[in-house]
Amino acid sequence: MDIVVKGRKTEVPERFRKHVAEKLNLEKIQKLDGKVISLDVEVSKEPNPRQADRSDRVEITLRSRGPVIRAEASAADPYAALDLATGKLEARMRKQHDKRHTRRGNGRISAAEVGATVPGAAAINGNGVLVAEEAPPTIPTTRVGPLEVQGEGPLVVREKTHVAAPMSLDQALYEMELVGHDFYLYVDSETKEPSVVYRRHAYDYGVIRLTTDPLAETEAGGAGGALGG
């Protein structure tokens, strides 16, 4: 297995490539997951001088026969960002390794049991709906064109396409924890509908599902027409 290092809108010096090879110990990684297929490292740079303390970003993507594991971090230089991202990657690999060796197929809890099992978690019923909703805290909101951006931003637009098999809600929660994101897009294996599971506060989770409106094609206007006009 080789480590592929690439830059996104930035050059990657040979010295840094050698440091990546030394930092990401393949022998250690293969001990945690012997079925690793590829290991990609992407380096990017934030040109905004106001973001100097986190101008360099490193994203590590590990693909194996199991779930994809991703870790990313930003710092004032790429070497510090790599150290942070490597630490996150190893922690997530250990978590997956421990689950794989102790679960034995039926130890995974369902989404409905999260509230009773995880301290401070909100209860989720069998349909994946939160039993108790909490009022979100007040977050400063600014408008960028037709969009409202919460917090300080900056607004970053990226487009990615993934191929994945339909899965259950509890599997989507598990996959979201592995990649370390605050949301996870999937196709529900029971309803066959596009859905998003997301982290709300602490251990609280939410689910958004998309259903087709049979009248959407015959009615004039709609959300798209309102934005376009």
Side-chain angles (χ1 to χ4, degrees):
M1 178 189 67
D2 295 327
I3 301 176
V4 178
V5 183
K6 57 184 178 180
R8 184 163 60 87
K9 298 181 180 180
T10 186
E11 293 291 333
V12 181
E14 187 62 28
R15 177 188 173 191
F16 183 77
R17 295 178 185 272
K18 293 180 179 179
H19 183 71
V20 170
E22 296 172 356
K23 187 69 178 179
L24 294 175
N25 189 312
L26 293 182
E27 182 178 351
K28 184 177 182 180
I29 289 175
Q30 289 177 333
K31 283 183 179 179
L32 293 173
D33 188 346
K35 300 179 180 179
V36 176
I37 299 174
S38 65
L39 190 61
D40 298 331
V41 179
E42 182 180 272
V43 183
S44 59
K45 193 172 186 66
E46 169 58 55
N48 188 346
R50 298 177 61 184
Q51 308 291 333
D53 59 334
R54 45 194 174 94
S55 60
D56 290 277
R57 179 173 174 274
V58 172
E59 178 178 314
I60 307 174
T61 303
L62 183 147
R63 294 179 174 85
S64 69
R65 297 181 185 177
V68 174
I69 301 179
R70 183 175 291 107
E72 57 188 59
S74 299
D77 63 80
Y79 294 91
L82 176 66
D83 290 345
L84 293 173
T86 302
K88 292 180 180 180
L89 180 73
E90 292 180 355
R92 288 165 188 164
M93 289 190 68
R94 289 193 193 96
K95 181 178 179 180
Q96 183 189 15
H97 178 271
D98 293 342
K99 284 190 175 183
R100 186 168 56 245
H101 285 75
T102 59
R103 186 170 56 214
R104 297 296 185 269
N106 58 2
R108 188 192 306 161
I109 64 173
S110 67
E113 298 172 318
V114 171
T117 306
V118 181
I124 304 177
N125 63 22
N127 296 323
V129 179
L130 292 176
V131 175
E133 293 283 348
E134 295 181 359
T138 302
I139 302 177
T141 302
T142 56
R143 179 169 290 277
V144 180
L147 303 177
E148 286 189 353
V149 181
Q150 292 186 333
E152 298 180 356
L155 180 65
V156 179
V157 179
R158 297 182 66 188
E159 181 177 339
K160 291 186 177 181
T161 301
H162 298 279
V163 178
M167 64 181 67
S168 62
L169 173 62
D170 58 324
Q171 180 64 22
L173 287 169
Y174 174 61
E175 299 279 355
M176 181 180 70
E177 292 295 339
L178 281 182
V179 298
H181 287 178
D182 291 329
F183 69 93
Y184 193 83
L185 175 65
Y186 70 104
V187 176
D188 191 281
S189 57
E190 181 177 350
T191 64
K192 310 304 181 186
E193 296 173 347
S195 305
V196 174
V197 61
Y198 62 95
R199 191 191 316 279
R200 296 185 69 250
H201 314 290
Y203 290 97
D204 293 1
Y205 299 100
V207 180
I208 299 174
R209 305 184 190 278
L210 294 180
T211 58
T212 302
D213 184 354
L215 301 178
E217 295 183 359
T218 59
E219 289 184 352
L227 290 175

